[in-house]
């Protein structure tokens, strides 16, 4: 029994020593006003849950609403990156959710049809450079997926790709 516990503790110690941590920053783009849409929260939570359920160290900043001002948006992202670095995170993930709500009957609802796509950048905080990026397009909407579950499924697809990128870059996340 002691040998089994020692082996488990050893594996955990090895995993913990090589595990990386990351901070997720969701940026909501192309939306009127400065209200954070529920879909943005759903995407953020689904991604955090995905990694948390796998025992990973994750954090996040409050969802940012793009001001459609490159300099202002860059300042906010930089502030989030500094907070992540102060919090001893290894990586910073910026996820821009691009909305298309002009023709939507309910733009603030958790509907997959309101999300046009997502752009991701993974930044190594120690190197201060982008180490991976990706663009995601939601699947075609149907009556079955144009809801919270469809948005969560899209977020899980993004999380799967994030994990693949982390693995390619040598992280154990």
């Amino acid at each position: 029994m002691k040998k089994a516990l020692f082996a488990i503790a050893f594996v955990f110690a090895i995993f913990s020593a090589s595990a990386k941590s990351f901070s997720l920053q969701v940026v909501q783009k192309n939306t009127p006003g400065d209200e954070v849409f529920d879909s943005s929260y759903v995407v953020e939570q689904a991604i955090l849950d995905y990694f948390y359920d796998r025992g990973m160290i994750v954090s996040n900043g409050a969802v940012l609403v793009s001001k459609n001002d490159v300099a202002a948006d860059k300042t906010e992202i930089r502030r989030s990156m500094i907070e992540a670095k102060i919090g001893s995170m290894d990586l910073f993930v910026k996820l821009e959710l691009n909305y298309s709500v002009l023709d939507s009957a309910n733009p603030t609802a958790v509907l997959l049809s309101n999300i046009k796509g997502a752009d991701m950048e993974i930044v190594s905080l120690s190197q201060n450079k982008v180490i991976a990026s990706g663009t995601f397009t939601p699947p075609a909407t149907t009556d079955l997926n144009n809801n919270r579950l469809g948005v969560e499924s899209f977020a899980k697809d993004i999380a799967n790709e994030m994990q693949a990128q982390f693995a390619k870059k040598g992280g154990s996340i």
Side-chain angles (χ1 to χ4, degrees), residues 18-129:
S18 64
K20 293 192 181 286
S21 57
F22 77 93
S23 181
L24 175 67
Q25 180 61 66
V26 173
V27 181
Q28 178 178 297
K29 296 187 77 172
N30 306 319
T31 57
D34 44 346
E35 175 186 1
V36 176
F37 288 2
D38 286 341
S39 293
S40 296
Y41 290 125
V42 169
V43 169
E44 176 185 57
Q45 194 60 53
I47 292 172
L48 292 173
D49 288 348
Y50 176 95
F51 289 100
Y52 180 77
D53 290 346
R54 287 158 178 76
M56 303 303 160
I57 301 167
V58 296
S59 71
N60 63 299
V63 174
L64 298 176
V65 178
S66 174
K67 309 232 183 317
N68 295 320
D69 175 341
V70 175
D73 289 351
K74 193 172 183 177
T75 298
E76 290 297 321
I77 295 297
R78 188 74 185 135
R79 183 174 295 129
S80 295
M81 288 178 70
I82 290 167
E83 289 174 4
K85 195 165 189 170
I86 290 170
S88 299
M89 296 290 120
D90 296 307
L91 303 170
F92 179 82
V93 179
K94 177 178 75 169
L95 182 67
E96 294 179 340
L97 292 176
N98 302 302
Y99 284 83
S100 179
V101 295
L102 293 177
D103 297 330
S104 178
N106 194 350
T108 61
V110 182
L111 299 173
L112 188 60
S113 60
N114 287 339
I115 302 173
K116 181 179 176 184
D119 297 305
M120 172 192 69
E121 285 186 345
I122 301 172
V123 176
S124 166
L125 291 171
S126 64
Q127 299 171 347
N128 197 30
K129 72 175 190 174

